[in-house]
Amino acid sequence: MAATTAAPPSTAPRRHIAVIPCRWGASRFPGKPLAQLGDKPLLWHVHQRCLEAKRLDGVVVATDDERIEAACQELGIECVRTGEHLTGTDRVAECAERLPAGAYINVQGDEPFISPVAIDAVSEALEHLVPGTLAVNAYTELDDVGAVLDHNVVKVVVDAESNALLFSRQPIPYPRGDRPKYLRQLGLYGFTGTALSLFRHLPQGPLERTEGVEMLRFVEHGHGVRMLRVIDDGLAVDTPEDLARASMLLHSQPVR
């Protein structure tokens, strides 16, 4: 079958768009966005979940890598070539400067089973932000001890108003006086263009540098991140072992 060539991303104003940041050089899994899951690259599955969301006006992949850009062109996926960046959200922020929209949903490229309903929920929540809150980050409750202890799974603790207090790869909070609920941060964030511009110009703080969790940048500088509970029982792919588990999960799902 002949390859499909993607059209350049539209620069006409859109309401909410999803941006999937993808880089080649992940330390735990180099080339991960193009790793095969079933008969398609990992990034294709994330793109499909975004297409299934009902509140988005577009989906683009953002990358600084020519191999990922070429794969997107062959798959007919809109792609923005960016410079090198510290985090995926910095990459999304560059896209926001080039693609006008009311808001941007950062969908991490390693979430092939992310729920389209969860994506829509983040989009909806962006329209009801309280003053001082700059981002919406989806989360779900963890009930697997292995995931709680896994440093690849980012945990979050929230206050009474569902604002993020702290993110960590360690199991937080520590169960000294009570049995806590552990919450998993999903790779699903929503921002306005103004918030992304601020994020890009804030320096990384010691917590973000130590933990490698980008939403800590807002928290360390005193800006609110609203945590939004969603239903999502998917699997993030951080390692080749995760990809093998994702393959089994994919084949156990009904045909779409």
Side-chain angles (χ1 to χ4, degrees), residues 94-154:
E94 180 183 337
C95 286
E97 293 177 353
R98 296 160 58 180
L99 302 177
Y104 303 84
I105 315 297
N106 177 347
V107 185
Q108 294 293 285
D110 58 5
E111 296 269 3
F113 304 105
I114 195 73
S115 165
V117 175
I119 296 171
D120 282 332
V122 169
S123 173
E124 172 73 22
L126 278 169
E127 298 183 352
H128 304 285
L129 290 180
V130 300
T133 301
L134 297 182
V136 176
N137 190 174
Y139 76 92
T140 189
E141 190 170 332
L142 282 170
D143 55 11
D144 176 60
V145 174
V148 172
L149 298 175
D150 187 347
H151 69 271
N152 291 316
V153 177
V154 177

Side-chain angles (χ1 to χ4, degrees), residues 20-21 32 37 42-50 106-116 119 137-138 140 152 154 184-189 232-238 246:
I20 305 169
K32 179 170 63 174
L37 177 57
L42 189 63
L43 68 81
W44 180 89
H45 293 275
V46 182
H47 185 264
Q48 287 298 114
R49 302 294 81 74
C50 292
N106 177 347
V107 185
Q108 294 293 285
D110 58 5
E111 296 269 3
F113 304 105
I114 195 73
S115 165
I119 296 171
N137 190 174
T140 189
N152 291 316
V154 177
R184 174 195 169 208
Q185 178 211 35
L186 296 179
L188 176 58
Y189 325 101
D232 185 278
D233 56 0
L235 170 70
V237 176
D238 293 298

